[in-house]
Amino acid sequence: MLVTAPKVTAPYPATAMWLSIFNPENAPELGEAALDEEHRLIEKFLDRLHAAILMRQSTSDQRLLLHEALSFLRINSSHEEELMMRDLFPHIEEHKVAHQRLFHRGESLDYVLATATCSRSLEVLDDVSNELLQHINQDDRDVVMWHRRCCRGKA
């Protein structure tokens, strides 16, 4: 299932390169269109959150952007877990734990946005973003490679 990009109502979208934490040229591509699109949407919301923090937008605007990113992360995780169950991926439980860890990190960031300084918020956002990229580049890539091996010849 492909998820379409929503209209973002935050008043200051991240358009300048210095506001971006994800380099689109280095964005991980797994070769599964739906998952890649979901990952891009999550990255887009985190980029907008990064810009919102830098521009000192209201805490409620920042938290809204984070909640949007986490909503797409939950959708993406659900799609990945469906794919893993269908393909009998052998490391599904470990992958689910990795998803839970990402959700927990996002919830921790929500608390930081509500209570901490701008610099601390940026630091935690950077940690969350790096963990997400690592998950996509390693864990999700393993799922996609397994899927390709399982689906070879099934059409």
mmCIF file of all heavy atoms in Angstrom, residues 32-83:
data_model
loop_
_atom_site.group_PDB
_atom_site.id
_atom_site.type_symbol
_atom_site.label_atom_id
_atom_site.label_comp_id
_atom_site.label_asym_id
_atom_site.label_seq_id
_atom_site.Cartn_x
_atom_site.Cartn_y
_atom_site.Cartn_z
ATOM 1 N N GLU A 32 12.017 -1.105 -2.912
ATOM 2 C CA GLU A 32 10.605 -1.431 -2.709
ATOM 3 C C GLU A 32 9.884 -0.091 -2.643
ATOM 4 O O GLU A 32 9.984 0.640 -1.653
ATOM 5 C CB GLU A 32 10.390 -2.222 -1.416
ATOM 6 C CG GLU A 32 10.858 -3.645 -1.472
ATOM 7 C CD GLU A 32 10.061 -4.504 -2.447
ATOM 8 O OE1 GLU A 32 8.821 -4.370 -2.498
ATOM 9 O OE2 GLU A 32 10.686 -5.296 -3.161
ATOM 10 N N ALA A 33 9.156 0.245 -3.702
ATOM 11 C CA ALA A 33 8.603 1.590 -3.881
ATOM 12 C C ALA A 33 7.792 2.072 -2.675
ATOM 13 O O ALA A 33 7.967 3.204 -2.217
ATOM 14 C CB ALA A 33 7.762 1.644 -5.152
ATOM 15 N N ALA A 34 6.905 1.244 -2.177
ATOM 16 C CA ALA A 34 6.040 1.675 -1.069
ATOM 17 C C ALA A 34 6.854 1.970 0.185
ATOM 18 O O ALA A 34 6.654 2.994 0.842
ATOM 19 C CB ALA A 34 4.971 0.626 -0.786
ATOM 20 N N LEU A 35 7.782 1.083 0.529
ATOM 21 C CA LEU A 35 8.606 1.301 1.723
ATOM 22 C C LEU A 35 9.505 2.516 1.545
ATOM 23 O O LEU A 35 9.658 3.324 2.475
ATOM 24 C CB LEU A 35 9.452 0.063 2.028
ATOM 25 C CG LEU A 35 8.698 -1.211 2.401
ATOM 26 C CD1 LEU A 35 9.676 -2.345 2.695
ATOM 27 C CD2 LEU A 35 7.760 -0.989 3.569
ATOM 28 N N ASP A 36 10.092 2.661 0.360
ATOM 29 C CA ASP A 36 10.949 3.819 0.104
ATOM 30 C C ASP A 36 10.166 5.120 0.229
ATOM 31 O O ASP A 36 10.655 6.098 0.804
ATOM 32 C CB ASP A 36 11.600 3.728 -1.283
ATOM 33 C CG ASP A 36 12.705 2.679 -1.345
ATOM 34 O OD1 ASP A 36 13.245 2.305 -0.285
ATOM 35 O OD2 ASP A 36 13.020 2.234 -2.465
ATOM 36 N N GLU A 37 8.940 5.150 -0.267
ATOM 37 C CA GLU A 37 8.116 6.355 -0.167
ATOM 38 C C GLU A 37 7.770 6.652 1.294
ATOM 39 O O GLU A 37 7.804 7.800 1.729
ATOM 40 C CB GLU A 37 6.847 6.218 -0.999
ATOM 41 C CG GLU A 37 5.922 7.414 -0.936
ATOM 42 C CD GLU A 37 6.522 8.715 -1.456
ATOM 43 O OE1 GLU A 37 7.513 8.683 -2.222
ATOM 44 O OE2 GLU A 37 6.006 9.777 -1.075
ATOM 45 N N GLU A 38 7.448 5.619 2.049
ATOM 46 C CA GLU A 38 7.150 5.825 3.468
ATOM 47 C C GLU A 38 8.371 6.372 4.201
ATOM 48 O O GLU A 38 8.248 7.284 5.031
ATOM 49 C CB GLU A 38 6.674 4.516 4.100
ATOM 50 C CG GLU A 38 5.306 4.102 3.614
ATOM 51 C CD GLU A 38 4.932 2.677 3.967
ATOM 52 O OE1 GLU A 38 5.733 1.957 4.608
ATOM 53 O OE2 GLU A 38 3.818 2.273 3.603
ATOM 54 N N HIS A 39 9.541 5.825 3.896
ATOM 55 C CA HIS A 39 10.765 6.325 4.523
ATOM 56 C C HIS A 39 10.999 7.795 4.166
ATOM 57 O O HIS A 39 11.377 8.598 5.034
ATOM 58 C CB HIS A 39 11.969 5.486 4.101
ATOM 59 C CG HIS A 39 11.944 4.095 4.625
ATOM 60 N ND1 HIS A 39 12.567 3.047 3.988
ATOM 61 C CD2 HIS A 39 11.361 3.550 5.732
ATOM 62 C CE1 HIS A 39 12.387 1.938 4.673
ATOM 63 N NE2 HIS A 39 11.648 2.221 5.735
ATOM 64 N N ARG A 40 10.765 8.166 2.907
ATOM 65 C CA ARG A 40 10.937 9.567 2.499
ATOM 66 C C ARG A 40 9.976 10.484 3.257
ATOM 67 O O ARG A 40 10.349 11.597 3.641
ATOM 68 C CB ARG A 40 10.742 9.719 0.989
ATOM 69 C CG ARG A 40 11.971 9.324 0.175
ATOM 70 C CD ARG A 40 11.838 9.715 -1.286
ATOM 71 N NE ARG A 40 10.805 8.968 -1.979
ATOM 72 C CZ ARG A 40 10.965 7.768 -2.533
ATOM 73 N NH1 ARG A 40 12.140 7.164 -2.461
ATOM 74 N NH2 ARG A 40 9.973 7.165 -3.141
ATOM 75 N N LEU A 41 8.746 10.033 3.473
ATOM 76 C CA LEU A 41 7.777 10.855 4.213
ATOM 77 C C LEU A 41 8.212 11.052 5.663
ATOM 78 O O LEU A 41 8.112 12.162 6.202
ATOM 79 C CB LEU A 41 6.388 10.224 4.154
ATOM 80 C CG LEU A 41 5.690 10.302 2.802
ATOM 81 C CD1 LEU A 41 4.432 9.443 2.805
ATOM 82 C CD2 LEU A 41 5.362 11.735 2.458
ATOM 83 N N ILE A 42 8.698 10.004 6.290
ATOM 84 C CA ILE A 42 9.186 10.117 7.664
ATOM 85 C C ILE A 42 10.351 11.107 7.704
ATOM 86 O O ILE A 42 10.398 12.006 8.560
ATOM 87 C CB ILE A 42 9.615 8.736 8.215
ATOM 88 C CG1 ILE A 42 8.412 7.794 8.298
ATOM 89 C CG2 ILE A 42 10.290 8.889 9.583
ATOM 90 C CD1 ILE A 42 8.788 6.327 8.443
ATOM 91 N N GLU A 43 11.281 10.959 6.776
ATOM 92 C CA GLU A 43 12.436 11.857 6.709
ATOM 93 C C GLU A 43 11.990 13.298 6.470
ATOM 94 O O GLU A 43 12.543 14.232 7.069
ATOM 95 C CB GLU A 43 13.393 11.414 5.602
ATOM 96 C CG GLU A 43 14.067 10.098 5.894
ATOM 97 C CD GLU A 43 14.728 9.479 4.674
ATOM 98 O OE1 GLU A 43 14.786 10.129 3.608
ATOM 99 O OE2 GLU A 43 15.195 8.332 4.791
ATOM 100 N N LYS A 44 10.992 13.485 5.615
ATOM 101 C CA LYS A 44 10.501 14.832 5.318
ATOM 102 C C LYS A 44 9.947 15.501 6.581
ATOM 103 O O LYS A 44 10.233 16.667 6.851
ATOM 104 C CB LYS A 44 9.423 14.767 4.238
ATOM 105 C CG LYS A 44 8.939 16.128 3.764
ATOM 106 C CD LYS A 44 7.877 15.991 2.694
ATOM 107 C CE LYS A 44 8.480 15.374 1.450
ATOM 108 N NZ LYS A 44 7.555 15.331 0.322
ATOM 109 N N PHE A 45 9.171 14.766 7.362
ATOM 110 C CA PHE A 45 8.634 15.347 8.592
ATOM 111 C C PHE A 45 9.738 15.631 9.608
ATOM 112 O O PHE A 45 9.701 16.641 10.314
ATOM 113 C CB PHE A 45 7.549 14.467 9.199
ATOM 114 C CG PHE A 45 6.209 14.696 8.583
ATOM 115 C CD1 PHE A 45 5.661 13.783 7.707
ATOM 116 C CD2 PHE A 45 5.500 15.863 8.855
ATOM 117 C CE1 PHE A 45 4.427 14.009 7.117
ATOM 118 C CE2 PHE A 45 4.269 16.098 8.274
ATOM 119 C CZ PHE A 45 3.728 15.168 7.404
ATOM 120 N N LEU A 46 10.732 14.758 9.690
ATOM 121 C CA LEU A 46 11.835 15.018 10.617
ATOM 122 C C LEU A 46 12.652 16.223 10.157
ATOM 123 O O LEU A 46 13.132 17.007 10.990
ATOM 124 C CB LEU A 46 12.703 13.770 10.782
ATOM 125 C CG LEU A 46 12.024 12.611 11.512
ATOM 126 C CD1 LEU A 46 12.947 11.398 11.568
ATOM 127 C CD2 LEU A 46 11.563 13.007 12.907
ATOM 128 N N ASP A 47 12.812 16.394 8.845
ATOM 129 C CA ASP A 47 13.473 17.601 8.326
ATOM 130 C C ASP A 47 12.687 18.852 8.692
ATOM 131 O O ASP A 47 13.250 19.872 9.088
ATOM 132 C CB ASP A 47 13.609 17.532 6.799
ATOM 133 C CG ASP A 47 14.927 16.934 6.340
ATOM 134 O OD1 ASP A 47 15.856 16.856 7.157
ATOM 135 O OD2 ASP A 47 15.011 16.565 5.161
ATOM 136 N N ARG A 48 11.387 18.772 8.556
ATOM 137 C CA ARG A 48 10.547 19.925 8.909
ATOM 138 C C ARG A 48 10.602 20.206 10.406
ATOM 139 O O ARG A 48 10.583 21.366 10.819
ATOM 140 C CB ARG A 48 9.124 19.709 8.419
ATOM 141 C CG ARG A 48 9.056 19.797 6.904
ATOM 142 C CD ARG A 48 7.680 19.557 6.378
ATOM 143 N NE ARG A 48 7.703 19.733 4.919
ATOM 144 C CZ ARG A 48 6.815 19.230 4.118
ATOM 145 N NH1 ARG A 48 5.794 18.549 4.585
ATOM 146 N NH2 ARG A 48 6.910 19.425 2.813
ATOM 147 N N LEU A 49 10.692 19.155 11.194
ATOM 148 C CA LEU A 49 10.848 19.339 12.632
ATOM 149 C C LEU A 49 12.174 20.023 12.927
ATOM 150 O O LEU A 49 12.243 20.953 13.740
ATOM 151 C CB LEU A 49 10.753 17.994 13.362
ATOM 152 C CG LEU A 49 11.070 18.021 14.854
ATOM 153 C CD1 LEU A 49 10.170 18.998 15.594
ATOM 154 C CD2 LEU A 49 10.946 16.612 15.422
ATOM 155 N N HIS A 50 13.221 19.590 12.277
ATOM 156 C CA HIS A 50 14.541 20.198 12.447
ATOM 157 C C HIS A 50 14.474 21.693 12.153
ATOM 158 O O HIS A 50 14.966 22.524 12.937
ATOM 159 C CB HIS A 50 15.532 19.483 11.521
ATOM 160 C CG HIS A 50 16.932 19.943 11.653
ATOM 161 N ND1 HIS A 50 17.535 20.745 10.718
ATOM 162 C CD2 HIS A 50 17.860 19.716 12.618
ATOM 163 C CE1 HIS A 50 18.770 20.990 11.085
ATOM 164 N NE2 HIS A 50 18.999 20.378 12.233
ATOM 165 N N ALA A 51 13.844 22.060 11.046
ATOM 166 C CA ALA A 51 13.696 23.472 10.683
ATOM 167 C C ALA A 51 12.863 24.220 11.726
ATOM 168 O O ALA A 51 13.196 25.352 12.092
ATOM 169 C CB ALA A 51 13.048 23.592 9.307
ATOM 170 N N ALA A 52 11.808 23.588 12.193
ATOM 171 C CA ALA A 52 10.936 24.228 13.182
ATOM 172 C C ALA A 52 11.685 24.522 14.477
ATOM 173 O O ALA A 52 11.501 25.576 15.091
ATOM 174 C CB ALA A 52 9.715 23.351 13.455
ATOM 175 N N ILE A 53 12.547 23.599 14.888
ATOM 176 C CA ILE A 53 13.344 23.817 16.100
ATOM 177 C C ILE A 53 14.311 24.977 15.869
ATOM 178 O O ILE A 53 14.420 25.886 16.702
ATOM 179 C CB ILE A 53 14.103 22.540 16.514
ATOM 180 C CG1 ILE A 53 13.124 21.428 16.903
ATOM 181 C CG2 ILE A 53 15.077 22.833 17.657
ATOM 182 C CD1 ILE A 53 13.762 20.059 17.053
ATOM 183 N N LEU A 54 15.006 24.952 14.738
ATOM 184 C CA LEU A 54 15.969 26.018 14.435
ATOM 185 C C LEU A 54 15.307 27.392 14.360
ATOM 186 O O LEU A 54 15.889 28.390 14.777
ATOM 187 C CB LEU A 54 16.687 25.734 13.116
ATOM 188 C CG LEU A 54 17.736 24.632 13.139
ATOM 189 C CD1 LEU A 54 18.238 24.366 11.732
ATOM 190 C CD2 LEU A 54 18.888 24.998 14.064
ATOM 191 N N MET A 55 14.095 27.427 13.827
ATOM 192 C CA MET A 55 13.400 28.701 13.661
ATOM 193 C C MET A 55 12.567 29.071 14.889
ATOM 194 O O MET A 55 11.805 30.024 14.850
ATOM 195 C CB MET A 55 12.540 28.663 12.401
ATOM 196 C CG MET A 55 13.400 28.620 11.146
ATOM 197 S SD MET A 55 12.445 28.801 9.648
ATOM 198 C CE MET A 55 11.874 27.149 9.393
ATOM 199 N N ARG A 56 12.723 28.263 15.946
ATOM 200 C CA ARG A 56 12.045 28.542 17.212
ATOM 201 C C ARG A 56 10.521 28.626 17.066
ATOM 202 O O ARG A 56 9.876 29.465 17.684
ATOM 203 C CB ARG A 56 12.569 29.822 17.849
ATOM 204 C CG ARG A 56 14.067 29.899 18.006
ATOM 205 C CD ARG A 56 14.467 29.337 19.350
ATOM 206 N NE ARG A 56 15.794 29.794 19.780
ATOM 207 C CZ ARG A 56 16.917 29.115 19.568
ATOM 208 N NH1 ARG A 56 16.882 27.990 18.904
ATOM 209 N NH2 ARG A 56 18.067 29.551 20.017
ATOM 210 N N GLN A 57 9.984 27.740 16.224
ATOM 211 C CA GLN A 57 8.521 27.663 16.140
ATOM 212 C C GLN A 57 7.984 27.187 17.474
ATOM 213 O O GLN A 57 8.716 26.658 18.312
ATOM 214 C CB GLN A 57 8.101 26.699 15.024
ATOM 215 C CG GLN A 57 8.241 27.272 13.643
ATOM 216 C CD GLN A 57 7.734 26.301 12.611
ATOM 217 O OE1 GLN A 57 8.514 25.613 11.989
ATOM 218 N NE2 GLN A 57 6.431 26.246 12.447
ATOM 219 N N SER A 58 6.699 27.311 17.654
ATOM 220 C CA SER A 58 6.094 26.932 18.926
ATOM 221 C C SER A 58 6.301 25.438 19.197
ATOM 222 O O SER A 58 6.428 24.631 18.277
ATOM 223 C CB SER A 58 4.594 27.240 18.908
ATOM 224 O OG SER A 58 3.923 26.342 18.051
ATOM 225 N N THR A 59 6.324 25.122 20.465
ATOM 226 C CA THR A 59 6.461 23.721 20.879
ATOM 227 C C THR A 59 5.333 22.879 20.304
ATOM 228 O O THR A 59 5.563 21.742 19.869
ATOM 229 C CB THR A 59 6.472 23.631 22.418
ATOM 230 O OG1 THR A 59 7.570 24.398 22.912
ATOM 231 C CG2 THR A 59 6.609 22.204 22.884
ATOM 232 N N SER A 60 4.129 23.434 20.249
ATOM 233 C CA SER A 60 3.007 22.652 19.710
ATOM 234 C C SER A 60 3.217 22.358 18.221
ATOM 235 O O SER A 60 2.899 21.257 17.769
ATOM 236 C CB SER A 60 1.676 23.362 19.951
ATOM 237 O OG SER A 60 1.645 24.612 19.314
ATOM 238 N N ASP A 61 3.766 23.298 17.450
ATOM 239 C CA ASP A 61 4.072 23.030 16.039
ATOM 240 C C ASP A 61 5.141 21.953 15.912
ATOM 241 O O ASP A 61 5.050 21.054 15.068
ATOM 242 C CB ASP A 61 4.549 24.297 15.322
ATOM 243 C CG ASP A 61 3.432 25.267 15.009
ATOM 244 O OD1 ASP A 61 2.245 24.886 15.127
ATOM 245 O OD2 ASP A 61 3.746 26.421 14.641
ATOM 246 N N GLN A 62 6.158 22.032 16.745
ATOM 247 C CA GLN A 62 7.236 21.037 16.716
ATOM 248 C C GLN A 62 6.701 19.651 17.052
ATOM 249 O O GLN A 62 6.995 18.669 16.356
ATOM 250 C CB GLN A 62 8.333 21.421 17.716
ATOM 251 C CG GLN A 62 9.083 22.685 17.354
ATOM 252 C CD GLN A 62 10.061 23.090 18.432
ATOM 253 O OE1 GLN A 62 10.559 22.258 19.199
ATOM 254 N NE2 GLN A 62 10.361 24.383 18.515
ATOM 255 N N ARG A 63 5.884 19.584 18.081
ATOM 256 C CA ARG A 63 5.349 18.288 18.500
ATOM 257 C C ARG A 63 4.389 17.723 17.459
ATOM 258 O O ARG A 63 4.333 16.508 17.249
ATOM 259 C CB ARG A 63 4.685 18.416 19.867
ATOM 260 C CG ARG A 63 5.737 18.717 20.957
ATOM 261 C CD ARG A 63 5.141 18.897 22.320
ATOM 262 N NE ARG A 63 4.738 17.590 22.836
ATOM 263 C CZ ARG A 63 3.841 17.424 23.795
ATOM 264 N NH1 ARG A 63 3.241 18.464 24.338
ATOM 265 N NH2 ARG A 63 3.544 16.212 24.210
ATOM 266 N N LEU A 64 3.648 18.582 16.774
ATOM 267 C CA LEU A 64 2.768 18.134 15.696
ATOM 268 C C LEU A 64 3.577 17.474 14.586
ATOM 269 O O LEU A 64 3.213 16.401 14.085
ATOM 270 C CB LEU A 64 1.950 19.303 15.138
ATOM 271 C CG LEU A 64 1.063 18.972 13.934
ATOM 272 C CD1 LEU A 64 -0.029 17.981 14.323
ATOM 273 C CD2 LEU A 64 0.459 20.244 13.364
ATOM 274 N N LEU A 65 4.677 18.091 14.197
ATOM 275 C CA LEU A 65 5.528 17.510 13.153
ATOM 276 C C LEU A 65 6.102 16.165 13.598
ATOM 277 O O LEU A 65 6.146 15.212 12.816
ATOM 278 C CB LEU A 65 6.645 18.485 12.774
ATOM 279 C CG LEU A 65 6.180 19.720 12.021
ATOM 280 C CD1 LEU A 65 7.273 20.781 11.988
ATOM 281 C CD2 LEU A 65 5.723 19.362 10.616
ATOM 282 N N LEU A 66 6.526 16.082 14.854
ATOM 283 C CA LEU A 66 7.031 14.808 15.371
ATOM 284 C C LEU A 66 5.931 13.754 15.358
ATOM 285 O O LEU A 66 6.166 12.617 14.938
ATOM 286 C CB LEU A 66 7.580 14.975 16.791
ATOM 287 C CG LEU A 66 8.014 13.669 17.462
ATOM 288 C CD1 LEU A 66 9.124 12.984 16.679
ATOM 289 C CD2 LEU A 66 8.421 13.927 18.904
ATOM 290 N N HIS A 67 4.734 14.116 15.770
ATOM 291 C CA HIS A 67 3.624 13.147 15.797
ATOM 292 C C HIS A 67 3.293 12.667 14.378
ATOM 293 O O HIS A 67 2.966 11.486 14.189
ATOM 294 C CB HIS A 67 2.410 13.748 16.488
ATOM 295 C CG HIS A 67 2.602 13.898 17.964
ATOM 296 N ND1 HIS A 67 1.596 13.732 18.873
ATOM 297 C CD2 HIS A 67 3.705 14.195 18.706
ATOM 298 C CE1 HIS A 67 2.062 13.909 20.100
ATOM 299 N NE2 HIS A 67 3.327 14.206 20.019
ATOM 300 N N GLU A 68 3.388 13.551 13.395
ATOM 301 C CA GLU A 68 3.178 13.133 11.997
ATOM 302 C C GLU A 68 4.252 12.132 11.579
ATOM 303 O O GLU A 68 3.950 11.105 10.971
ATOM 304 C CB GLU A 68 3.175 14.341 11.061
ATOM 305 C CG GLU A 68 1.990 15.259 11.227
ATOM 306 C CD GLU A 68 0.687 14.649 10.751
ATOM 307 O OE1 GLU A 68 0.702 13.740 9.902
ATOM 308 O OE2 GLU A 68 -0.371 15.087 11.233
ATOM 309 N N ALA A 69 5.507 12.424 11.907
ATOM 310 C CA ALA A 69 6.600 11.502 11.574
ATOM 311 C C ALA A 69 6.376 10.148 12.242
ATOM 312 O O ALA A 69 6.538 9.099 11.608
ATOM 313 C CB ALA A 69 7.943 12.093 11.995
ATOM 314 N N LEU A 70 5.974 10.170 13.510
ATOM 315 C CA LEU A 70 5.740 8.912 14.228
ATOM 316 C C LEU A 70 4.541 8.155 13.676
ATOM 317 O O LEU A 70 4.541 6.917 13.652
ATOM 318 C CB LEU A 70 5.567 9.179 15.726
ATOM 319 C CG LEU A 70 6.821 9.654 16.461
ATOM 320 C CD1 LEU A 70 6.494 10.007 17.907
ATOM 321 C CD2 LEU A 70 7.920 8.603 16.385
ATOM 322 N N SER A 71 3.533 8.877 13.201
ATOM 323 C CA SER A 71 2.385 8.212 12.570
ATOM 324 C C SER A 71 2.822 7.453 11.329
ATOM 325 O O SER A 71 2.431 6.295 11.117
ATOM 326 C CB SER A 71 1.311 9.232 12.189
ATOM 327 O OG SER A 71 0.737 9.784 13.347
ATOM 328 N N PHE A 72 3.648 8.086 10.508
ATOM 329 C CA PHE A 72 4.140 7.401 9.307
ATOM 330 C C PHE A 72 5.111 6.287 9.658
ATOM 331 O O PHE A 72 5.158 5.269 8.969
ATOM 332 C CB PHE A 72 4.756 8.396 8.321
ATOM 333 C CG PHE A 72 3.711 9.122 7.529
ATOM 334 C CD1 PHE A 72 3.339 10.405 7.863
ATOM 335 C CD2 PHE A 72 3.063 8.496 6.472
ATOM 336 C CE1 PHE A 72 2.349 11.073 7.161
ATOM 337 C CE2 PHE A 72 2.073 9.146 5.761
ATOM 338 C CZ PHE A 72 1.718 10.436 6.107
ATOM 339 N N LEU A 73 5.864 6.461 10.743
ATOM 340 C CA LEU A 73 6.743 5.381 11.189
ATOM 341 C C LEU A 73 5.916 4.169 11.601
ATOM 342 O O LEU A 73 6.268 3.028 11.284
ATOM 343 C CB LEU A 73 7.624 5.851 12.353
ATOM 344 C CG LEU A 73 8.576 4.821 12.935
ATOM 345 C CD1 LEU A 73 9.555 4.326 11.873
ATOM 346 C CD2 LEU A 73 9.312 5.397 14.137
ATOM 347 N N ARG A 74 4.788 4.386 12.259
ATOM 348 C CA ARG A 74 3.920 3.267 12.657
ATOM 349 C C ARG A 74 3.306 2.582 11.435
ATOM 350 O O ARG A 74 3.223 1.350 11.376
ATOM 351 C CB ARG A 74 2.838 3.746 13.614
ATOM 352 C CG ARG A 74 3.380 4.115 14.976
ATOM 353 C CD ARG A 74 2.310 4.457 15.987
ATOM 354 N NE ARG A 74 2.871 5.057 17.179
ATOM 355 C CZ ARG A 74 3.571 4.419 18.112
ATOM 356 N NH1 ARG A 74 3.791 3.139 17.983
ATOM 357 N NH2 ARG A 74 4.047 5.053 19.155
ATOM 358 N N ILE A 75 2.886 3.368 10.459
ATOM 359 C CA ILE A 75 2.347 2.801 9.214
ATOM 360 C C ILE A 75 3.416 1.973 8.523
ATOM 361 O O ILE A 75 3.190 0.826 8.122
ATOM 362 C CB ILE A 75 1.826 3.918 8.280
ATOM 363 C CG1 ILE A 75 0.574 4.560 8.864
ATOM 364 C CG2 ILE A 75 1.580 3.388 6.865
ATOM 365 C CD1 ILE A 75 0.162 5.858 8.180
ATOM 366 N N ASN A 76 4.608 2.545 8.408
ATOM 367 C CA ASN A 76 5.713 1.854 7.755
ATOM 368 C C ASN A 76 6.067 0.566 8.487
ATOM 369 O O ASN A 76 6.257 -0.493 7.864
ATOM 370 C CB ASN A 76 6.922 2.787 7.672
ATOM 371 C CG ASN A 76 8.170 2.101 7.189
ATOM 372 O OD1 ASN A 76 9.071 1.814 7.983
ATOM 373 N ND2 ASN A 76 8.230 1.816 5.908
ATOM 374 N N SER A 77 6.129 0.639 9.804
ATOM 375 C CA SER A 77 6.467 -0.553 10.589
ATOM 376 C C SER A 77 5.423 -1.645 10.405
ATOM 377 O O SER A 77 5.765 -2.828 10.269
ATOM 378 C CB SER A 77 6.583 -0.183 12.067
ATOM 379 O OG SER A 77 7.638 0.728 12.259
ATOM 380 N N SER A 78 4.171 -1.250 10.366
ATOM 381 C CA SER A 78 3.093 -2.215 10.140
ATOM 382 C C SER A 78 3.241 -2.888 8.774
ATOM 383 O O SER A 78 3.118 -4.118 8.661
ATOM 384 C CB SER A 78 1.748 -1.506 10.247
ATOM 385 O OG SER A 78 0.704 -2.371 9.914
ATOM 386 N N HIS A 79 3.545 -2.106 7.748
ATOM 387 C CA HIS A 79 3.729 -2.676 6.406
ATOM 388 C C HIS A 79 4.932 -3.616 6.367
ATOM 389 O O HIS A 79 4.867 -4.691 5.761
ATOM 390 C CB HIS A 79 3.893 -1.569 5.366
ATOM 391 C CG HIS A 79 2.635 -0.797 5.140
ATOM 392 N ND1 HIS A 79 2.623 0.449 4.583
ATOM 393 C CD2 HIS A 79 1.338 -1.087 5.403
ATOM 394 C CE1 HIS A 79 1.382 0.902 4.516
ATOM 395 N NE2 HIS A 79 0.586 -0.027 5.013
ATOM 396 N N GLU A 80 6.012 -3.210 7.009
ATOM 397 C CA GLU A 80 7.193 -4.079 7.047
ATOM 398 C C GLU A 80 6.889 -5.385 7.776
ATOM 399 O O GLU A 80 7.296 -6.463 7.329
ATOM 400 C CB GLU A 80 8.357 -3.368 7.749
ATOM 401 C CG GLU A 80 8.960 -2.254 6.947
ATOM 402 C CD GLU A 80 10.038 -1.511 7.719
ATOM 403 O OE1 GLU A 80 10.420 -1.947 8.832
ATOM 404 O OE2 GLU A 80 10.506 -0.477 7.198
ATOM 405 N N GLU A 81 6.173 -5.287 8.888
ATOM 406 C CA GLU A 81 5.872 -6.491 9.663
ATOM 407 C C GLU A 81 4.930 -7.422 8.909
ATOM 408 O O GLU A 81 5.073 -8.642 8.987
ATOM 409 C CB GLU A 81 5.343 -6.099 11.044
ATOM 410 C CG GLU A 81 6.437 -5.480 11.901
ATOM 411 C CD GLU A 81 5.973 -4.846 13.186
ATOM 412 O OE1 GLU A 81 4.797 -5.050 13.578
ATOM 413 O OE2 GLU A 81 6.787 -4.140 13.822
ATOM 414 N N GLU A 82 3.996 -6.870 8.144
ATOM 415 C CA GLU A 82 3.137 -7.701 7.290
ATOM 416 C C GLU A 82 3.974 -8.433 6.250
ATOM 417 O O GLU A 82 3.782 -9.635 6.010
ATOM 418 C CB GLU A 82 2.090 -6.834 6.571
ATOM 419 C CG GLU A 82 0.994 -6.312 7.467
ATOM 420 C CD GLU A 82 0.102 -5.297 6.755
ATOM 421 O OE1 GLU A 82 0.131 -5.206 5.508
ATOM 422 O OE2 GLU A 82 -0.635 -4.580 7.470
ATOM 423 N N LEU A 83 4.909 -7.719 5.631
ATOM 424 C CA LEU A 83 5.801 -8.317 4.634
ATOM 425 C C LEU A 83 6.637 -9.430 5.263
ATOM 426 O O LEU A 83 6.762 -10.529 4.692
ATOM 427 C CB LEU A 83 6.702 -7.231 4.037
ATOM 428 C CG LEU A 83 7.692 -7.663 2.967
ATOM 429 C CD1 LEU A 83 6.958 -8.045 1.681
ATOM 430 C CD2 LEU A 83 8.680 -6.529 2.694
#
